[in-house]
Amino acid sequence: MLAFLVAAISGVVYLVKGNRKWDIVGLSAIEIGIVFAFINIVTGSIWARPIWNTWWTWDPRLTTATVMELIYAAYLMLRQGIEDPDRRARFGAVYAIIGFLSVPLTFFSAACSVPFTPL
């Protein structure tokens, strides 16, 4: 989630300053975030197998993490589909900012799905 925050911030900075190094930082952050999100989904499925007796369940934690992963995978596909480097960087920056909306949703789905037990 931190990597996706870095990508959103670098997207804002790129749109303000127009320096291509911020586009590279944003792309790198999303690539790192995708790897860690994938590890999260795979280990979540492995953990779910002995506990819930299934590899996949529509638990909010797993589902929103998968949706977040797919949103950022679409970011990489968007970048591959645009040939002009400046336009690709601009579209990527805007997409990274909008795509970041999925991160708090994923965080709160994990935080709110834990049962509350008063002390």
Side-chain angles (χ1 to χ4, degrees), residues 4-106:
F4 298 137
L5 175 64
V6 169
I9 291 170
S10 66
V12 170
V13 174
Y14 173 78
L15 291 175
V16 170
K17 294 189 175 189
N19 191 342
R20 293 274 312 221
K21 78 174 182 180
W22 292 107
D23 178 52
I24 295 169
V25 169
L27 175 61
S28 301
I30 286 180
E31 289 172 346
I32 292 168
I34 284 177
V35 169
F36 280 106
F38 180 74
I39 291 169
N40 176 37
I41 293 166
V42 169
T43 57
S45 296
I46 292 170
W47 176 84
R49 176 71 175 135
I51 302 299
W52 294 323
N53 200 24
T54 183
W55 287 105
W56 180 263
T57 182
W58 290 101
D59 181 64
R61 292 171 280 196
L62 289 175
T63 305
T64 56
T66 303
V67 168
M68 183 181 68
E69 174 88 14
L70 292 174
I71 287 171
Y72 284 106
Y75 169 89
L76 294 178
M77 291 190 292
L78 171 74
R79 288 187 64 91
Q80 291 297 317
I82 301 173
E83 292 184 21
D84 179 34
D86 293 328
R87 190 171 180 222
R88 177 176 44 226
R90 191 173 59 250
F91 275 49
V94 171
Y95 192 94
I97 295 165
I98 294 171
F100 183 73
L101 296 174
S102 67
V103 174
L105 178 68
T106 302

